[in-house]
Amino acid sequence: MGLFDISAEPLRPDESETGPLPPRSRSGLWWQFWFQWTYLLVGAALILAVVGLMLWASAAGGGDVGGLGGGGRGTQIRIGGYVVLTRRQYRLERDGSRDDWAKRVQEALGEGTEKAERKRAAEAKSRTKAETKAAAKGKQLNPAPLLPDQLELTPPVYRGAGLGLVEELAAPHGWELDWKRTRASKLQTACLTRRPSTGPAERLDADGE
């Protein structure tokens, strides 16, 4: 029995997983930075059309949360999948120190935490509104348990910092690195989870006022 328990334990990450990812080539960065403007200008009309379609689809499907009473939907946020290589990102990828990358990770964690808390607050309002409507009709909602928040950081956020540093910096924000999912991405995405109760909106509901 004990042998089965040991084999079931997740493997601890080794140095090859926690350290920085290999840097991008300087020549590749140079070509992307200077020639991206050409293909972006040529494809600007197509990009705007696609973005407009996505916004329309998002707006059309935005009423589901209220109908479900703010049920078991967890927030899903992805940061770092950029199309444009900005001057700041170019310099970071080319000459950024580990401290520079750590600062970038901190900014992404702050951004992700803020977005997750805003979504949680919106869900709480929607849930309260749905419960009020149900109570007025003599009904009672039984929403599904809230799922954990999910935050994904891509290599442009943490390449020179490494997953080990991401895990360390994420802990004070309430995020935990999901090594199983991160390994499934071949270490190309830092997959973080956070329990709903860590958000200020949830603590406010628990305290009452």
Side-chain angles (χ1 to χ4, degrees), residues 54-72:
M54 291 176 63
L55 291 174
W56 175 85
S58 177
D64 293 341
V65 176
L68 294 173

Side-chain angles (χ1 to χ4, degrees), residues 6 9 46 61 69 73 78 85 124 148 152 154 156 171 174:
I6 294 174
E9 292 180 358
L46 178 61
R73 300 183 66 179
R78 186 176 180 88
L85 182 63
E152 296 182 350
T154 59

Side-chain angles (χ1 to χ4, degrees), residues 38-56:
T38 301
Y39 67 74
L40 283 175
L41 287 173
V42 172
L46 178 61
I47 292 173
L48 288 174
V50 171
V51 171
L53 181 62
M54 291 176 63
L55 291 174
W56 175 85

Side-chain angles (χ1 to χ4, degrees), residues 3-68:
L3 290 177
F4 288 109
D5 291 341
I6 294 174
S7 62
E9 292 180 358
L11 295 175
R12 294 297 303 165
D14 56 35
E15 188 175 348
S16 65
E17 294 179 312
T18 59
L21 298 177
R24 292 188 57 186
S25 71
R26 296 175 71 89
S27 60
L29 285 168
W30 188 90
W31 280 100
Q32 180 183 354
F33 181 72
W34 290 107
F35 284 89
Q36 65 185 344
W37 311 113
T38 301
Y39 67 74
L40 283 175
L41 287 173
V42 172
L46 178 61
I47 292 173
L48 288 174
V50 171
V51 171
L53 181 62
M54 291 176 63
L55 291 174
W56 175 85
S58 177
D64 293 341
V65 176
L68 294 173

